[in-house]
Amino acid sequence: MGRPAQTLSQLALTAQGGRDPEITGLAVDSRQVKDGFLFAALPGSRVHGGEFIQYALRMGAAAILTDSEGARIAASELAASNAALIVSEDPRETLAFTAAIWFGAQPGTMVAVTGTNGKTSVATFVRQIWTELGHNAVNVGTTGVEGAWTAPLAHTTPEPITLHRTLAEAVEHGITHAAMEASSHGLDQRRLDAVQIKAAAFSNLSQDHLDYHANFDEYFAAKAGLFRRVLPEDGTAVINLEDPKGVEMRAIAAARGQEILTVGRGMGDLNLLGQRFDATGQDLRFAFRGNPQMVRLNLIGGFQAENILLACGLVIAAGEEPDRVFETLPHLTTVRGRMQLAATRANGAAVYVDYAHTPDAIATALKALRPHVIGRLIAIVGAGGDRDTTKRPLMGQAAHENADIVFVTDDNPRSEDPAGIRAAVMAGAPDAIEVGDRAEAILRGVDALQPGDALLIAGKGHETGQIVGDDILPFDDVEQASVAVAALDGGIA
């Protein structure tokens, strides 16, 4: 999508020496730089972007945005060039606002949700509610852009240039409402800082991404950035008080003067009063500021009630009438790869696929599935390579404590030895059955199903590839479950 050239001053940027060239595009990858581009040389976890300034200049960059370290790294190349230099204390934040000005358009009503688990479900339910209410809506995150307009995304929260290009394209396609997932990486790297949101939600916090964040406190601080910086003071914070960090997050939002809307079990503005489970869903009783409601949810898993109420809170905070919001709830459908019914055996046993890939998510998913199951609960779990190693035995333990039978298998081993990853998971589940090949593990899990049983295949959810080394091999848990059922039941899936 082309954009008219703008000067640095039009982009609210000031270059050293007062230089004000026309900019024809933005890039964070030196390989994508063209004549007249502004290249953002950002600090990285392994290599500083300043190392690539020399290549951006050769490609015709008219301006360089970086910090003092980046300017030092490329001092000689910059001195010999005609490019304007913008030095910022926080170049990531500067890039976010620059990208917002450059692309110029965002959907008029936007909300965001952060937390370890539930982000995709909450954002998707928000989009579904808005759609039921007649709005052209999308959700943006792990599963790409979904809804009235679709587009792929490589990251849950894209870097600012991709993000604001996507938001502008959404507006061009008639999108008026958007719900975003705010990842800890994205918040820590200021990717959302120029997104104009009306409301933000906090779902929960449990161990994840400690390969990126130094410790749990830093992980929480990254999530809190959604309320400390991104959500404006006149916005509304929707906080799940069920989570131990909910009270602290509410205090952070209150200190900014933001309006607070709370969700909880036996407490909060959206107060969950009771749930009744059956094989196809659940009945939900809750109250909104003292007014009782009773609705049917065609969704598996008790945790879905918190996701639904958070979604309701965001939609209400963004301006919709509560009663109209609640009327949509029976029409909501399962989020792809989140407690998704993948197949049913001829004996009635069900197979579910879920994205659970943290200890808390695995425990939550299995506990939530248990009330819907009259027989045994079988789980298939694995852990990803090149990620937080400390959570692996905890994932095994969560499966061991909450399932009757556990299979441990591979789940995106990446550059690591798959057997070593499986051994770490099995340290927490010593009685588990180890099956390295994921397709075989699914087949054996399906084969073990007796009448009244259920199988949960955890970890990959919506993903359609298995990452081994540098290769992404086609693999879809839902498809594999259907194939296994068809093979074992003579074509019945």
Side-chain angles (χ1 to χ4, degrees):
M1 182 171 57
R3 293 279 163 187
Q6 299 181 57
T7 64
L8 288 181
S9 57
Q10 289 173 321
L11 293 171
L13 295 172
T14 301
Q16 292 183 357
R19 301 200 58 192
D20 194 23
E22 282 197 342
I23 302 300
T24 60
L26 311 177
V28 291
D29 185 334
S30 61
R31 295 167 295 184
Q32 297 175 356
V33 172
K34 298 178 181 178
D35 284 338
F37 268 41
L38 179 147
F39 173 61
L42 307 175
S45 57
R46 296 176 182 172
V47 179
H48 195 291
E51 300 286 352
F52 301 97
I53 290 175
Q54 56 180 315
Y55 305 113
L57 293 172
R58 292 174 195 169
M59 298 290 285
I64 303 295
L65 166 64
T66 189
D67 58 10
S68 57
E69 176 64 12
R72 184 195 64 77
I73 291 171
S76 59
E77 289 87 352
L78 288 165
S81 77
N82 293 319
L85 175 63
I86 306 103
V87 178
S88 169
E89 290 185 5
D90 192 341
R92 292 187 180 278
E93 180 183 55
T94 302
L95 176 62
F97 283 94
T98 301
I101 296 171
W102 176 262
F103 290 104
Q106 302 180 28
T109 301
M110 295 191 65
V111 301
V113 55
T114 195
T116 304
N117 304 310
K119 295 188 296 297
T120 301
S121 293
V122 172
T124 304
F125 291 142
V126 167
R127 184 258 298 169
Q128 289 186 18
I129 293 170
W130 275 334
T131 301
E132 288 285 329
L133 295 175
H135 300 298
N136 289 331
V138 295
N139 55 281
V140 181
T142 307
T143 52
V145 181
E146 296 183 316
W149 174 65
T150 61
L153 291 176
H155 300 95
T156 298
T157 307
E159 49 78 20
I161 298 173
T162 300
L163 175 58
H164 286 283
R165 179 188 294 115
T166 300
L167 294 178
E169 289 177 353
V171 171
E172 288 189 353
H173 285 84
I175 301 303
T176 59
H177 291 62
M180 289 191 60
E181 298 177 48
S183 70
S184 61
H185 293 68
L187 288 164
D188 183 61
Q189 296 176 13
R190 305 297 197 267
R191 299 177 191 175
L192 288 95
D193 279 32
V195 176
Q196 298 166 4
I197 60 174
K198 293 187 175 181
F202 168 70
S203 60
N204 51 60
L205 199 77
S206 62
Q207 182 172 338
D208 200 12
H209 300 307
L210 295 188
D211 54 316
Y212 175 87
H213 303 284
N215 51 54
F216 198 72
D217 288 340
E218 286 195 10
Y219 180 42
F220 174 77
K223 297 288 191 186
L226 181 59
F227 303 94
R228 284 197 170 112
R229 299 187 324 273
V230 182
L231 182 66
E233 293 177 357
D234 61 353
T236 301
V238 183
I239 307 294
N240 178 22
L241 294 180
E242 283 292 297
D243 189 86
K245 286 291 187 180
V247 172
E248 188 175 346
M249 200 68 86
R250 178 178 62 179
I252 289 169
R256 290 279 314 284
Q258 294 157 356
E259 184 177 343
I260 309 293
L261 195 160
T262 54
V263 173
R265 191 179 298 269
M267 58 183 168
D269 299 300
L270 279 161
N271 181 359
L272 180 58
L273 301 173
Q275 293 167 275
R276 182 173 58 203
F277 304 97
D278 56 44
T280 61
Q282 58 193 285
D283 296 310
L284 192 67
R285 188 169 185 266
F286 66 96
F288 178 59
R289 292 174 176 162
N291 183 24
Q293 306 281 337
M294 187 81 176
V295 299
R296 172 68 181 178
L297 295 181
N298 297 307
L299 303 169
I300 297 294
F303 65 89
Q304 295 285 28
E306 291 180 13
N307 291 335
I308 289 291
L309 294 184
L310 277 175
C312 289
L314 282 171
V315 175
I316 292 168
E320 300 295 333
E321 289 295 325
D323 287 344
R324 292 194 65 211
V325 172
F326 303 145
E327 288 171 1
T328 70
L329 300 188
H331 304 142
L332 304 188
T333 57
T334 301
V335 178
R336 183 163 56 99
R338 272 65 176 174
M339 206 61 80
Q340 178 182 353
L341 178 62
T344 303
R345 291 210 61 179
N347 63 15
V351 183
Y352 295 93
V353 167
D354 192 79
Y355 192 52
H357 58 277
T358 68
D360 182 68
I362 290 170
T364 298
L366 289 168
K367 288 177 180 177
L369 188 54
R370 178 71 74 177
H372 299 275
V373 179
I374 197 170
R376 301 172 305 164
L377 194 48
I378 303 171
I380 295 176
V381 298
D386 303 333
R387 298 294 186 267
D388 180 8
T389 60
T390 63
K391 72 179 183 180
R392 293 171 185 174
L394 300 177
M395 292 169 68
Q397 181 181 352
H400 172 74
E401 292 177 349
N402 293 285
D404 299 299
I405 301 173
V406 178
F407 290 87
V408 172
T409 190
D410 293 344
D411 182 354
N412 295 330
R414 299 184 175 89
S415 70
E416 288 193 58
D417 173 29
I421 299 174
R422 295 195 302 271
V425 175
M426 291 193 68
D431 297 329
I433 303 165
E434 182 178 1
V435 183
D437 182 85
R438 192 172 181 89
E440 181 186 349
I442 292 173
L443 180 64
R444 291 180 62 175
V446 171
D447 189 39
L449 289 171
Q450 299 174 359
D453 292 349
L455 169 64
L456 179 71
I457 307 171
K460 299 184 69 62
H462 64 282
E463 294 177 353
T464 56
Q466 176 85 310
I467 306 173
V468 181
D470 294 327
D471 298 321
I472 301 178
L473 308 177
F475 198 96
D476 186 320
D477 280 354
V478 174
E479 180 180 287
Q480 287 294 326
S482 297
V483 168
V485 169
L488 292 166
D489 290 345
I492 300 174

